C-alpha cells in the first residue's frame, strides 16, 4: 500500500513538473521558444500587420479629408461666383481631386477658347474637355488607391502563412517527441503553442486587412462616382457656355 502511494506521488509530481515547464504561455515566451522558421513567420506577419494598420489609418484620414475638401469646393463652385476666379484660386494649383478635375476641364476649355477662329461647339472642344476630365479622375483615383492592393493581398495570404507556421510548429513538436521518447506535456506543449500562436497572428493580420479593404474600396468607389458626377455636370456647363459664345 505504501509503495502504491509512493508511485502515485511520483506520478503526480512528474505531471506537475510537466505542467510547470509548459505553463509559460506569454506572448514573449511563445516567440522566444519558437523555432527559427516560426520566428521568421511571426516577424513577417507582425510587420505586415503594422503596415496594414498604417495603411488603414492613412486611407481613412485621407478619405475623410478629401470628402470634406470636395464639399467645400462644391459649395464655392455652386455659389454663383465667376468660374475664372475659381480657376485662379483653386483650379490652377489644385489641392484635392475635385478641384483637380475642375482645373483640368477649365484649363482645357480656356486654352481652346484662346485659339483664333476656333468653333467651341464643333471644334472638338467638348471631346478634349471630356478626355481631360476622364484622365484626371483616373490619375487621382490611382493615387488614392495606392497601397490598397496590399490589403487585398495580405487578407487572403496571411492565414496561409500562419498555417505554414502552424504546420512547422507541429512538426517541431513531433521531432521533440521522437528525440526524447517522451509524450509529456512539457515536450509537446511548446511546439503546439507556438504553432497556434502563428495561426493567431495570421488571422489577426488578415481579418483587419479584409474588412478594411472592402470598406475603403467601397468608399473610394463612391468618391469616384462623385468625381464623375461633378465632371459630367461641369462639362455640361462648359458646353452651354460654348454655345452662348457662338
Amino acid at each position: 500500500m505504501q509503495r502504491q502511494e509512493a508511485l502515485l506521488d511520483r506520478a503526480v509530481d512528474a505531471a506537475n513538473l510537466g505542467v510547470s515547464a509548459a505553463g509559460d504561455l506569454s506572448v514573449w515566451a511563445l516567440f522566444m521558444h519558437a523555432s527559427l522558421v516560426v520566428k521568421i513567420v511571426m516577424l513577417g506577419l507582425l510587420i505586415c500587420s503594422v503596415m496594414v494598420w498604417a495603411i488603414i489609418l492613412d486611407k481613412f484620414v485621407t478619405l475623410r479629408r478629401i470628402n470634406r475638401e470636395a464639399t467645400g469646393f462644391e459649395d464655392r463652385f455652386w455659389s454663383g461666383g465667376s468660374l475664372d476666379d475659381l480657376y485662379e484660386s483653386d483650379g490652377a494649383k489644385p489641392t484635392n481631386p475635385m478641384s483637380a478635375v475642375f482645373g483640368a476641364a477649365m484649363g482645357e476649355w480656356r486654352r481652346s477658347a484662346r485659339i483664333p477662329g476656333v468653333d467651341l461647339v464643333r471644334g472638338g472642344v467638348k471631346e478634349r474637355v471630356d478626355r481631360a476630365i476622364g484622365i484626371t479622375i483616373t490619375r487621382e483615383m490611382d493615387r488614392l488607391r495606392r497601397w490598397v492592393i496590399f490589403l487585398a493581398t495580405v487578407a487572403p495570404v496571411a492565414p496561409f502563412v500562419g498555417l505554414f507556421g502552424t504546420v512547422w510548429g507541429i512538426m517541431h513538436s513531433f521531432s521533440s517527441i521522437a528525440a526524447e521518447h517522451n509524450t509529456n506535456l512539457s515536450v509537446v506543449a511548446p511546439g503546439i503553442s507556438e504553432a497556434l500562436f502563428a495561426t493567431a497572428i495570421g488571422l489577426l493580420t488578415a481579418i483587419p486587412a479584409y474588412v478594411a479593404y472592402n470598406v475603403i474600396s467601397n468608399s473610394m468607389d463612391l468618391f469616384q462616382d462623385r468625381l464623375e458626377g461633378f465632371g459630367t455636370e461641369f462639362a455640361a456647363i462648359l458646353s452651354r457656355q460654348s454655345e452662348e459664345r457662338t
Side-chain angles (χ1 to χ4, degrees):
M1 185 69 179
Q2 291 179 349
R3 182 180 180 184
Q4 290 179 347
E5 290 178 354
L7 291 174
L8 181 61
D9 289 340
R10 284 197 296 269
V12 171
D13 291 340
N16 289 335
L17 287 173
V19 172
S20 176
D24 189 3
L25 298 179
S26 64
V27 172
W28 180 250
L30 289 175
F31 176 78
M32 293 304 298
H33 294 158
S35 63
L36 178 61
V37 173
V38 180
K39 284 181 180 178
I40 294 173
V41 170
M42 291 180 181
L43 286 175
L45 289 172
L46 287 174
I47 292 172
C48 288
S49 182
V50 171
M51 293 181 65
V52 163
W53 281 106
I55 294 170
I56 291 172
L57 293 175
D58 175 69
K59 294 306 177 184
F60 274 109
V61 170
T62 299
L63 284 168
R64 184 177 180 181
R65 175 180 58 81
I66 62 176
N67 275 288
R68 183 178 65 249
E69 292 175 347
T71 299
F73 176 80
E74 286 183 314
D75 291 340
R76 294 190 295 274
F77 179 82
W78 296 111
S79 64
S82 171
L83 291 179
D84 290 324
D85 292 342
L86 185 61
Y87 176 78
E88 296 300 331
S89 62
D90 292 75
K93 295 181 179 180
T95 58
N96 59 82
M98 188 73 77
S99 60
V101 172
F102 168 79
M106 190 67 181
E108 181 60 41
W109 188 81
R110 292 178 69 176
R111 285 190 295 271
S112 298
R114 287 197 296 265
I115 300 175
V118 67
D119 187 345
L120 293 177
V121 177
R122 301 180 181 85
V125 177
K126 183 178 184 304
E127 288 75 11
R128 289 196 295 271
V129 169
D130 290 340
R131 191 179 303 113
I133 291 173
I135 292 173
T136 303
I137 291 175
T138 300
R139 183 179 64 247
E140 293 296 325
M141 293 310 301
D142 286 343
R143 183 175 59 83
L144 289 175
R145 288 194 172 97
R146 190 176 304 162
W147 290 106
V148 176
I149 190 64
F150 182 79
L151 300 179
T153 303
V154 169
V157 172
F160 290 101
V161 176
L163 183 61
F164 170 75
T166 299
V167 173
W168 194 273
I170 293 174
M171 291 171 58
H172 186 260
S173 297
F174 286 145
S175 297
S176 300
I177 293 172
E180 300 185 20
H181 303 286
N182 189 357
T183 59
N184 192 283
L185 184 61
S186 62
V187 176
V188 178
I192 299 299
S193 299
E194 72 186 39
L196 296 176
F197 187 47
T199 302
I201 296 177
L203 292 175
L204 290 175
T205 303
I207 292 173
Y210 178 79
V211 174
Y213 173 75
N214 285 281
V215 173
I216 292 172
S217 295
N218 182 66
S219 298
M220 288 189 173
D221 289 342
L222 292 175
F223 186 74
Q224 182 173 352
D225 292 340
R226 187 177 182 182
L227 290 180
E228 291 173 350
F230 172 78
T232 300
E233 290 180 325
F234 186 49
I237 292 173
L238 292 179
S239 179
R240 284 196 299 271
Q241 289 195 358
S242 299
E243 293 175 0
E244 291 172 358
R245 287 195 176 192
T246 57

